[in-house]
Amino acid sequence: MRSELRTVRTGGVPTVVDLTDECAEFVRTEADGLLHVFVPHATAGVAIIETGSGSDDDLLAQLDVLLPRDERWRHRHGSKGHGRDHVLPAFVPPHASVPVLEGRMQLGTWQRICLVDTNTDNPQRHVRLSFLAG
């Protein structure tokens, strides 16, 4: 298995960061296998969604509805409502796997691989890309 840890700057604001091009470059020279994308954080996730048409903003807006940033959370360190960031991975898991054939990810036409980070306390994240040959 080949694996690399990448750094992603999120800017300390809730954001959806498109990783698709970076993932495509990572597997470009591979044959068939499986790409695994993993964020080693308790407050971030990986989603495969459409971006650029507002879906990424819709995702963040719905996470605010589902997981409000207020004082209801028992987990209370960090900024206001930070406890909700620790619940996020139960809804947006910290991983995704994508089949790769002849060095090309087998995503649908509009599918993009994205880091979802609602944690405003950390402006930088890590993403582990791993390729398991088939």
Side-chain angles (χ1 to χ4, degrees):
M1 180 173 75
R2 182 169 67 90
S3 188
E4 293 179 11
L5 190 64
R6 308 285 178 94
T7 300
V8 178
R9 182 130 182 89
T10 59
V13 296
T15 190
V16 175
V17 179
D18 192 335
L19 305 171
T20 310
D21 293 342
E22 193 169 352
C23 292
E25 182 60 28
F26 179 74
V27 301
R28 184 180 57 80
T29 60
E30 301 293 348
D32 297 351
L34 190 64
L35 169 68
H36 188 72
V37 182
F38 177 74
V39 293
H41 300 286
T43 58
V46 177
I48 297 179
I49 63 171
E50 178 181 359
T51 61
S53 64
S55 297
D56 36 352
D57 291 331
D58 288 342
L59 174 59
L60 291 175
Q62 284 307 302
L63 288 172
D64 283 341
V65 171
L66 183 62
L67 306 169
R69 185 172 293 283
D70 59 21
E71 296 302 329
R72 74 183 68 200
W73 308 100
R74 291 184 182 136
H75 185 113
R76 294 186 185 262
H77 77 81
S79 62
K80 179 182 177 186
H82 177 65
R84 76 95 177 238
D85 298 325
H86 285 274
V87 176
L88 174 78
F91 294 90
V92 181
H95 57 83
S97 295
V98 178
V100 175
L101 297 175
E102 297 178 359
R104 295 177 56 103
M105 296 184 298
Q106 299 301 295
L107 294 170
T109 302
W110 305 112
Q111 288 181 314
R112 308 293 288 178
I113 302 168
C114 298
L115 167 68
V116 179
D117 185 9
T118 60
N119 184 352
T120 60
D121 294 338
N122 295 314
Q124 181 173 292
R125 295 303 190 152
H126 294 101
V127 177
R128 178 161 297 282
L129 303 180
S130 300
F131 182 78
L132 181 62

